[in-house]
Amino acid sequence: MAKERNYNPVQAQHKADKAKAIKKGKSEQQTRRNEKLAQRNPGRIQQQIDDLKALKDGGRKLNTHEEQALEALEKDLKAVKKAREALGDKAPQFGHGHGPPRHGQRGDGVLGKRRRDAEDASGSDSDVPADVKSIPMPRDTPPPISKEILDEWYAKRRAKRDAERASEAEQRQDSEKPAAPVVEAKTVYEAKPVVRDLQKEAVSAFMPSAVRTKIEKGKGQGGLLEPEEADQLEKEGYLRAPEAMRLQPEQMEPRQDAGTRRVMMEEVDDEEG
């Protein structure tokens, strides 16, 4: 009872279908393998085996490569025969060990052009209508061309070739002609010297902080500038003479915001020691 309860018919059907598909795939694979092996000519394989065995029977010792080739050929021959037996009548037939007839090859294995005699023998004239039989067959060689036509054709060809050569010569002469000189446009560039005052640039660009502080004092910022300092700045080139003269009177004038100062003096008696 427990076994019947665990039985799943859908799962069993899936397993059966899977096994059937695997079996079918193996069968198709074996069929393809047999068809591929049946394409090989067993007579040719047997001929190669006989050649190697003849060398061995003649007293020559086969090397390793030839022995391996002999074993492989014997295995292939067994597989080919087995595949042809499995296919039966579907197996391709080979004539006298030369394989199936190729394109343009006759049934006897000889290459060559097909003859009309063979075609006439294979076909019957009873199927051909009477009006078709009355049509003459073309000859194997074309009719000869008259000399006048050939001379005319050669004359046209010669004239065409001469015209092409003349046109090529004209083109070559045109290409060899010297080209006209090209007039180049010339432009003259002129640069004048730039006059620079290096001393002025040096003073304005490189100014020590002490000198800048003194100049600010001369303008009334951060203190007063002494006359000696103004003379030194003028000598060094940091101040011009009118500017120095303008700064000195300003320094001489008393400041408006300065208040009056009173000084009180006291007399102190010296103490006698």
Side-chain angles (χ1 to χ4, degrees), residues 47-106:
Q47 183 66 30
Q48 294 176 0
I49 293 173
D50 295 341
D51 293 341
L52 291 175
K53 287 184 176 180
L55 293 175
K56 187 176 181 180
D57 296 339
R60 176 187 168 187
K61 185 178 180 181
L62 300 179
N63 54 22
T64 307
H65 177 69
E66 291 175 346
E67 290 180 356
Q68 292 177 356
L70 181 59
E71 293 178 1
L73 288 172
E74 290 177 351
K75 291 181 180 179
D76 292 345
L77 182 60
K78 291 180 181 179
V80 169
K81 289 182 177 179
K82 186 176 180 181
R84 293 179 66 84
E85 290 176 359
L87 291 178
D89 297 337
K90 295 181 180 179
Q93 301 297 327
F94 302 100
H96 305 290
H98 295 288
R102 301 176 184 176
H103 178 69
Q105 184 177 4
R106 293 180 291 180

Side-chain angles (χ1 to χ4, degrees), residues 184-191:
E184 298 180 358
K186 296 183 179 180
T187 305
V188 180
Y189 296 93
E190 183 180 359

Side-chain angles (χ1 to χ4, degrees), residues 195-215:
V195 181
R196 298 171 58 186
D197 191 355
L198 299 180
Q199 185 177 3
K200 183 178 179 182
E201 292 180 4
V203 169
S204 60
F206 306 101
M207 182 180 294
S209 59
V211 175
R212 186 177 290 105
T213 304
K214 291 179 181 180
I215 292 175

Side-chain angles (χ1 to χ4, degrees), residues 141-145:
T141 57
I145 302 174

